[in-house]
Amino acid sequence: QLQLVESGGGLVQAGGSLRLSCRASGSIFSINAMGWYRQAPGKQRESVATVTTGGSTNYDDSVKGRFIISRDNAKNTVYLQMNSLKPEDTAVYYCAVEGATTSSIYYKKAWGQGTQVTVSS
């Protein structure tokens, strides 16, 4: 099994910052791409940022210049530093990873449980 646990969400005023963390655990054989997604009420889940094993990153246009994704491969952890937050960033944030377990179970996307981020105006 591959489990993901997120932390770091909360309530912040517009212009503030939050840092999300997501740690993968279980019988991990390999972790490949890691990423953050979000889903606002009444909207579809969307990609926010992704990072490859080698550190290449990709961001949605709406967060470029404000959010930074990073990972610690030794800790199987991905982070999302969110700066200059806006009310429209309010959503449940989910991390997702591509990986495999030692029992050869492959996850194209294993999902965390989500963490709420609320930005007040």
Side-chain angles (χ1 to χ4, degrees):
Q1 293 283 341
L2 181 60
Q3 293 98 31
L4 302 177
V5 178
E6 298 130 338
S7 60
L11 173 64
V12 64
Q13 288 189 332
S17 298
L18 283 174
R19 188 188 193 215
L20 306 183
S21 299
C22 174
R23 181 175 179 272
S25 65
S27 304
I28 298 171
F29 176 74
S30 64
I31 297 289
N32 302 322
M34 306 180 85
W36 288 95
Y37 298 75
R38 67 186 179 187
Q39 187 167 19
K43 295 188 176 181
Q44 290 190 332
R45 190 171 300 187
E46 62 179 6
S47 175
V48 176
T50 58
V51 58
T52 67
T53 305
S56 296
T57 57
N58 189 59
Y59 296 92
D60 184 78
D61 286 344
S62 65
V63 306
K64 280 181 181 176
R66 300 188 297 123
F67 291 9
I68 301 172
I69 189 171
S70 61
R71 62 189 286 171
D72 184 333
N73 292 329
K75 295 180 180 179
N76 291 324
T77 300
V78 61
Y79 306 95
L80 186 67
Q81 177 66 44
M82 305 186 292
N83 302 317
S84 302
L85 282 160
K86 304 175 180 180
E88 50 264 43
D89 294 318
T90 295
V92 178
Y93 284 70
Y94 299 88
C95 70
V97 304
E98 178 192 6
T101 68
T102 54
S103 55
S104 301
I105 299 173
Y106 170 72
Y107 293 83
K108 185 173 178 63
K109 271 195 182 69
W111 293 95
Q113 81 283 359
T115 185
Q116 176 70 44
V117 171
T118 303
V119 185
S120 63
S121 58

